[in-house]
Amino acid sequence: MKVGTENKRNIVILAVLMAILIPTVIYFVRSVFGGPSAPPRTAAPAASAPGASNGPAATRFPALATLDPTLHPELMAGAESLKYTGTGRNIFSMSSAPPTKIEAVKGPVRLGQGAGAQHGPAGPTGPPPPPRIDLTFFGYATQNGVKKAFLLHGESVFVASPGQVVDHHYKIVQINPLSIEVRDLLYNDTQTLPLSRS
């Protein structure tokens, strides 16, 4: 049987996979169906940390002394026993009643600042205006009757004809001698950019 170079490559890959798979299967079979198991560990008695008291808090939290010797169970128990004694609503309790008395407004609401500020409700403001298109139009050329604009965005230079998209979201609408119309595709807004003299 004649084996080509592509078959040799496949045989090498198969051999590597088998070398990984066989020890994995052996380990799995031993762990599931037998093999020496470690004896169960017995829990060591909790030793009291230096400085920890043997009061009621220490008996309520016996494992804390072994976990972190800097914890003070007696202080934690004291914090748990505190009761809220404020005059308003307890924001830490779901069952506390809301306040019964709400303070009345003492004067008219002022809108704006300064002496010329108008009082009263303001009208709807509407959505914010779209951002200014951050392209600089610094020239154009005509080649085979097609105008191509030269645009600058940061340090990137783009050459585009009408209908083409620049920087993934600016579409060139029209190229004029002293300006260019560009549509921002993200905001569906068309702006006219003047020819830059610098």
Side-chain angles (χ1 to χ4, degrees):
M1 181 174 143
K2 188 175 181 181
V3 178
T5 55
E6 65 276 351
N7 289 340
K8 287 180 182 178
R9 182 175 165 267
N10 291 342
I11 291 172
V12 169
I13 292 173
L14 181 64
V16 170
L17 289 176
M18 292 302 289
I20 294 171
L21 184 63
I22 289 173
T24 305
V25 169
I26 292 172
Y27 174 77
F28 177 74
V29 169
R30 280 189 179 174
S31 65
V32 171
F33 295 110
S37 61
R41 289 186 176 181
T42 59
S48 63
S53 68
N54 292 329
T59 58
R60 286 179 55 199
F61 308 107
L64 290 180
T66 60
L67 293 177
D68 188 355
T70 60
L71 291 176
H72 298 285
E74 65 278 358
L75 296 177
M76 293 168 51
E80 281 184 356
S81 64
L82 289 177
K83 299 293 181 196
Y84 178 75
T85 58
T87 58
R89 179 173 182 248
N90 183 0
I91 62 171
F92 300 106
S93 173
M94 293 291 291
S95 61
S96 67
T100 56
K101 182 180 177 185
I102 298 176
E103 188 176 335
V105 178
K106 296 182 180 176
V109 178
R110 292 189 347 184
L111 300 175
Q113 296 177 353
Q118 297 181 353
H119 297 282
T125 58
R132 185 182 72 82
I133 294 177
D134 191 22
L135 291 175
T136 303
F137 173 51
F138 64 91
Y140 73 96
T142 305
Q143 184 179 17
N144 298 330
V146 177
K147 289 184 180 178
K148 295 190 177 215
F150 302 106
L151 302 163
L152 184 66
H153 185 255
E155 296 197 8
S156 301
V157 177
F158 298 98
V159 179
S161 301
Q164 291 183 330
V165 176
V166 173
D167 200 23
H168 304 292
H169 66 275
Y170 298 123
K171 183 175 182 179
I172 308 302
V173 177
Q174 184 176 358
I175 301 172
N176 300 317
L178 299 176
S179 65
I180 186 172
E181 290 182 22
V182 180
R183 177 178 298 270
D184 188 340
L185 298 177
L186 295 177
Y187 292 94
N188 196 20
D189 176 55
T190 302
Q191 298 179 21
T192 301
L193 307 177
L195 178 66
S196 175
R197 299 291 181 185
S198 56

